[in-house]
Short mmCIF file of all heavy atoms in Angstrom, two decimals:
data_model
loop_
_atom_site.label_atom_id
_atom_site.label_comp_id
_atom_site.label_asym_id
_atom_site.label_seq_id
_atom_site.Cartn_x
_atom_site.Cartn_y
_atom_site.Cartn_z
N TYR A 43 -10.74 -8.00 5.00
CA TYR A 43 -9.63 -8.75 4.43
C TYR A 43 -8.28 -8.14 4.80
O TYR A 43 -8.14 -6.93 5.00
CB TYR A 43 -9.74 -8.79 2.90
CG TYR A 43 -10.83 -9.68 2.38
CD1 TYR A 43 -11.81 -9.18 1.52
CD2 TYR A 43 -10.90 -11.03 2.72
CE1 TYR A 43 -12.81 -10.00 1.01
CE2 TYR A 43 -11.90 -11.85 2.23
CZ TYR A 43 -12.85 -11.32 1.38
OH TYR A 43 -13.84 -12.13 0.89
N GLN A 45 -4.23 -8.01 3.44
CA GLN A 45 -3.30 -8.21 2.35
C GLN A 45 -1.86 -8.16 2.89
O GLN A 45 -1.61 -7.55 3.93
CB GLN A 45 -3.46 -7.10 1.29
CG GLN A 45 -4.62 -7.23 0.33
CD GLN A 45 -5.98 -7.16 1.00
OE1 GLN A 45 -6.78 -8.09 0.90
NE2 GLN A 45 -6.29 -6.06 1.70
N TYR A 47 2.20 -7.41 1.46
CA TYR A 47 3.01 -6.89 0.36
C TYR A 47 4.49 -7.13 0.67
O TYR A 47 4.92 -7.00 1.82
CB TYR A 47 2.77 -5.39 0.16
CG TYR A 47 1.32 -5.05 -0.07
CD1 TYR A 47 0.50 -4.71 1.00
CD2 TYR A 47 0.75 -5.11 -1.33
CE1 TYR A 47 -0.84 -4.40 0.82
CE2 TYR A 47 -0.59 -4.81 -1.53
CZ TYR A 47 -1.38 -4.47 -0.44
OH TYR A 47 -2.72 -4.19 -0.64
N GLN A 49 8.30 -5.75 -0.28
CA GLN A 49 9.00 -4.61 -0.86
C GLN A 49 10.50 -4.84 -0.76
O GLN A 49 11.07 -4.83 0.33
CB GLN A 49 8.62 -3.30 -0.18
CG GLN A 49 9.23 -2.08 -0.86
CD GLN A 49 8.83 -0.76 -0.22
OE1 GLN A 49 8.65 -0.67 0.98
NE2 GLN A 49 8.69 0.28 -1.04
N SER A 54 8.93 -0.89 -5.73
CA SER A 54 7.57 -0.69 -5.23
C SER A 54 7.08 -1.96 -4.56
O SER A 54 7.55 -3.06 -4.88
CB SER A 54 6.63 -0.34 -6.39
OG SER A 54 7.10 0.78 -7.09
N PRO A 55 6.12 -1.84 -3.65
CA PRO A 55 5.53 -3.05 -3.05
C PRO A 55 4.82 -3.90 -4.09
O PRO A 55 4.25 -3.38 -5.06
CB PRO A 55 4.53 -2.47 -2.04
CG PRO A 55 5.04 -1.10 -1.73
CD PRO A 55 5.63 -0.61 -3.02
N THR A 57 2.21 -7.57 -4.25
CA THR A 57 1.34 -8.39 -3.41
C THR A 57 1.85 -9.81 -3.37
O THR A 57 2.14 -10.42 -4.41
CB THR A 57 -0.09 -8.40 -3.98
OG1 THR A 57 -0.52 -7.06 -4.20
CG2 THR A 57 -1.04 -9.09 -3.01
N TYR A 60 -3.45 -11.72 -0.91
CA TYR A 60 -4.58 -10.81 -0.85
C TYR A 60 -5.80 -11.56 -0.31
O TYR A 60 -5.85 -12.79 -0.34
CB TYR A 60 -4.85 -10.18 -2.21
CG TYR A 60 -5.38 -11.13 -3.27
CD1 TYR A 60 -6.74 -11.22 -3.55
CD2 TYR A 60 -4.51 -11.95 -4.00
CE1 TYR A 60 -7.22 -12.08 -4.51
CE2 TYR A 60 -4.99 -12.81 -4.96
CZ TYR A 60 -6.34 -12.88 -5.22
OH TYR A 60 -6.82 -13.74 -6.17
N GLU A 61 -6.73 -10.81 0.22
CA GLU A 61 -7.98 -11.38 0.77
C GLU A 61 -7.68 -12.55 1.70
O GLU A 61 -8.21 -13.66 1.55
CB GLU A 61 -8.93 -11.74 -0.36
CG GLU A 61 -9.44 -10.47 -1.04
CD GLU A 61 -10.14 -10.69 -2.38
OE1 GLU A 61 -10.31 -11.84 -2.79
OE2 GLU A 61 -10.49 -9.67 -3.00
N TYR A 100 4.77 -5.96 4.50
CA TYR A 100 3.75 -5.11 5.13
C TYR A 100 2.39 -5.81 5.06
O TYR A 100 1.99 -6.29 4.00
CB TYR A 100 3.63 -3.77 4.41
CG TYR A 100 4.86 -2.90 4.52
CD1 TYR A 100 5.89 -2.99 3.59
CD2 TYR A 100 4.99 -1.98 5.56
CE1 TYR A 100 7.01 -2.18 3.68
CE2 TYR A 100 6.11 -1.17 5.66
CZ TYR A 100 7.12 -1.28 4.72
OH TYR A 100 8.22 -0.48 4.82
N GLN A 102 -1.79 -5.13 5.49
CA GLN A 102 -2.71 -4.01 5.23
C GLN A 102 -4.15 -4.49 5.42
O GLN A 102 -4.50 -5.59 5.00
CB GLN A 102 -2.51 -3.48 3.81
CG GLN A 102 -3.53 -2.46 3.32
CD GLN A 102 -4.55 -3.06 2.37
OE1 GLN A 102 -4.21 -3.88 1.53
NE2 GLN A 102 -5.81 -2.66 2.50
N TYR A 104 -8.37 -2.64 6.68
CA TYR A 104 -9.17 -1.43 6.57
C TYR A 104 -10.37 -1.53 7.51
O TYR A 104 -10.63 -2.57 8.11
CB TYR A 104 -9.64 -1.25 5.12
CG TYR A 104 -10.30 -2.50 4.57
CD1 TYR A 104 -11.68 -2.67 4.61
CD2 TYR A 104 -9.53 -3.52 4.02
CE1 TYR A 104 -12.27 -3.82 4.13
CE2 TYR A 104 -10.12 -4.68 3.54
CZ TYR A 104 -11.48 -4.83 3.60
OH TYR A 104 -12.07 -5.98 3.13
N ASN A 108 -11.00 4.02 6.90
CA ASN A 108 -9.55 4.15 6.83
C ASN A 108 -8.91 2.89 6.27
O ASN A 108 -9.42 1.77 6.45
CB ASN A 108 -8.98 4.42 8.22
CG ASN A 108 -7.66 5.15 8.19
OD1 ASN A 108 -7.16 5.53 7.13
ND2 ASN A 108 -7.07 5.33 9.36
N GLN A 109 -7.79 3.08 5.59
CA GLN A 109 -6.93 1.99 5.18
C GLN A 109 -5.67 2.06 6.05
O GLN A 109 -5.12 3.14 6.26
CB GLN A 109 -6.51 2.14 3.70
CG GLN A 109 -7.65 2.04 2.73
CD GLN A 109 -8.05 0.60 2.46
OE1 GLN A 109 -7.34 -0.32 2.85
NE2 GLN A 109 -9.20 0.40 1.82
N PHE A 111 -1.80 0.34 7.03
CA PHE A 111 -0.67 -0.57 6.80
C PHE A 111 0.02 -0.84 8.13
O PHE A 111 0.15 0.06 8.97
CB PHE A 111 0.34 0.06 5.83
CG PHE A 111 -0.14 0.16 4.41
CD1 PHE A 111 -0.80 1.29 3.97
CD2 PHE A 111 0.09 -0.87 3.51
CE1 PHE A 111 -1.25 1.40 2.65
CE2 PHE A 111 -0.35 -0.78 2.19
CZ PHE A 111 -1.03 0.36 1.77
N GLN B 41 5.63 6.99 1.47
CA GLN B 41 6.59 6.27 2.30
C GLN B 41 7.76 7.20 2.59
O GLN B 41 8.62 7.42 1.73
CB GLN B 41 7.07 5.01 1.58
CG GLN B 41 7.98 4.13 2.41
CD GLN B 41 8.28 2.81 1.74
OE1 GLN B 41 8.38 2.72 0.51
NE2 GLN B 41 8.43 1.75 2.53
N TRP B 49 -1.31 5.30 3.88
CA TRP B 49 -2.36 5.57 2.91
C TRP B 49 -2.75 7.04 2.99
O TRP B 49 -2.98 7.57 4.07
CB TRP B 49 -3.57 4.69 3.20
CG TRP B 49 -4.77 4.94 2.34
CD1 TRP B 49 -4.86 4.74 1.00
CD2 TRP B 49 -6.04 5.43 2.77
NE1 TRP B 49 -6.12 5.06 0.56
CE2 TRP B 49 -6.87 5.49 1.62
CE3 TRP B 49 -6.57 5.82 3.99
CZ2 TRP B 49 -8.20 5.93 1.67
CZ3 TRP B 49 -7.90 6.24 4.05
CH2 TRP B 49 -8.69 6.30 2.89
N TYR B 52 -8.09 7.74 -1.61
CA TYR B 52 -8.39 7.23 -2.94
C TYR B 52 -9.67 7.82 -3.49
O TYR B 52 -10.43 8.49 -2.77
CB TYR B 52 -8.39 5.70 -3.03
CG TYR B 52 -9.23 4.89 -2.07
CD1 TYR B 52 -10.51 5.26 -1.68
CD2 TYR B 52 -8.72 3.69 -1.56
CE1 TYR B 52 -11.25 4.47 -0.84
CE2 TYR B 52 -9.47 2.89 -0.71
CZ TYR B 52 -10.73 3.29 -0.34
OH TYR B 52 -11.47 2.50 0.51
N TYR B 96 3.55 7.07 -3.99
CA TYR B 96 3.12 6.06 -4.93
C TYR B 96 1.65 6.27 -5.31
O TYR B 96 0.83 6.64 -4.46
CB TYR B 96 3.20 4.66 -4.32
CG TYR B 96 4.57 4.13 -3.99
CD1 TYR B 96 5.05 4.15 -2.69
CD2 TYR B 96 5.37 3.56 -4.98
CE1 TYR B 96 6.30 3.63 -2.37
CE2 TYR B 96 6.62 3.04 -4.67
CZ TYR B 96 7.07 3.07 -3.38
OH TYR B 96 8.31 2.54 -3.07
N GLY B 102 -9.89 -5.99 -6.09
CA GLY B 102 -10.30 -7.07 -5.21
C GLY B 102 -11.81 -7.11 -5.03
O GLY B 102 -12.53 -6.27 -5.52
N LEU B 103 -12.25 -8.10 -4.28
CA LEU B 103 -13.69 -8.34 -4.09
C LEU B 103 -14.41 -7.13 -3.52
O LEU B 103 -15.54 -6.83 -3.91
CB LEU B 103 -13.90 -9.54 -3.16
CG LEU B 103 -13.58 -10.92 -3.74
CD1 LEU B 103 -13.74 -11.98 -2.65
CD2 LEU B 103 -14.49 -11.23 -4.92
N ASP B 104 -13.76 -6.45 -2.58
CA ASP B 104 -14.40 -5.28 -1.98
C ASP B 104 -13.57 -4.02 -2.16
O ASP B 104 -13.68 -3.08 -1.38
CB ASP B 104 -14.70 -5.54 -0.50
CG ASP B 104 -13.45 -5.89 0.29
OD1 ASP B 104 -12.36 -5.98 -0.32
OD2 ASP B 104 -13.55 -6.08 1.51
N ASN B 106 -10.33 -3.21 -1.84
CA ASN B 106 -9.44 -2.83 -0.76
C ASN B 106 -8.05 -3.44 -0.89
O ASN B 106 -7.31 -3.51 0.08
CB ASN B 106 -10.04 -3.20 0.60
CG ASN B 106 -11.16 -2.25 1.00
OD1 ASN B 106 -10.90 -1.11 1.36
ND2 ASN B 106 -12.38 -2.72 0.94
N TRP B 107 -7.70 -3.89 -2.07
CA TRP B 107 -6.42 -4.53 -2.35
C TRP B 107 -5.63 -3.60 -3.27
O TRP B 107 -6.03 -3.32 -4.39
CB TRP B 107 -6.68 -5.89 -3.00
CG TRP B 107 -5.49 -6.56 -3.59
CD1 TRP B 107 -4.18 -6.40 -3.24
CD2 TRP B 107 -5.51 -7.52 -4.66
NE1 TRP B 107 -3.39 -7.20 -4.03
CE2 TRP B 107 -4.17 -7.90 -4.91
CE3 TRP B 107 -6.52 -8.10 -5.42
CZ2 TRP B 107 -3.82 -8.82 -5.88
CZ3 TRP B 107 -6.17 -9.03 -6.39
CH2 TRP B 107 -4.85 -9.38 -6.62
N PHE B 108 -4.45 -3.15 -2.77
CA PHE B 108 -3.64 -2.18 -3.50
C PHE B 108 -2.73 -2.91 -4.49
O PHE B 108 -1.70 -3.47 -4.11
CB PHE B 108 -2.81 -1.34 -2.51
CG PHE B 108 -3.62 -0.44 -1.65
CD1 PHE B 108 -4.25 -0.92 -0.51
CD2 PHE B 108 -3.79 0.90 -1.98
CE1 PHE B 108 -5.03 -0.09 0.28
CE2 PHE B 108 -4.56 1.74 -1.18
CZ PHE B 108 -5.18 1.24 -0.05
N ASP B 109 -3.13 -2.91 -5.74
CA ASP B 109 -2.36 -3.57 -6.78
C ASP B 109 -3.00 -3.26 -8.12
O ASP B 109 -4.22 -3.44 -8.25
CB ASP B 109 -2.37 -5.09 -6.55
CG ASP B 109 -1.33 -5.82 -7.38
OD1 ASP B 109 -1.58 -6.00 -8.59
OD2 ASP B 109 -0.28 -6.21 -6.83
N TRP B 111 0.95 -1.06 -8.40
CA TRP B 111 1.56 0.17 -7.90
C TRP B 111 2.40 0.81 -9.00
O TRP B 111 2.94 0.12 -9.86
CB TRP B 111 2.50 -0.14 -6.72
CG TRP B 111 1.83 -0.70 -5.51
CD1 TRP B 111 1.13 -1.87 -5.41
CD2 TRP B 111 1.83 -0.14 -4.19
NE1 TRP B 111 0.69 -2.07 -4.12
CE2 TRP B 111 1.11 -1.02 -3.35
CE3 TRP B 111 2.38 1.02 -3.63
CZ2 TRP B 111 0.91 -0.77 -1.99
CZ3 TRP B 111 2.18 1.27 -2.29
CH2 TRP B 111 1.45 0.38 -1.48
N GLY B 112 2.52 2.14 -8.94
CA GLY B 112 3.49 2.82 -9.78
C GLY B 112 4.88 2.66 -9.19
O GLY B 112 5.06 2.05 -8.13
N GLN B 113 5.86 3.22 -9.85
CA GLN B 113 7.24 3.09 -9.39
C GLN B 113 7.57 4.07 -8.28
O GLN B 113 8.60 3.91 -7.60
CB GLN B 113 8.21 3.30 -10.55
CG GLN B 113 8.21 4.71 -11.12
CD GLN B 113 9.15 4.85 -12.32
OE1 GLN B 113 9.38 3.90 -13.06
NE2 GLN B 113 9.68 6.04 -12.52
#
Side-chain angles (χ1 to χ4, degrees):
Chain A
Y43 288 125
Q45 281 64 238
Y47 305 93
Q49 186 178 34
S54 304
T57 309
Y60 69 98
E61 291 167 4
Y100 294 90
Q102 171 256 321
Y104 52 94
N108 205 4
Q109 295 280 348
F111 289 91
Chain B
Q41 185 172 34
W49 176 65
Y52 53 41
Y96 294 101
L103 288 175
D104 58 357
N106 285 287
W107 169 26
F108 292 82
D109 194 283
W111 296 61
Q113 66 182 30

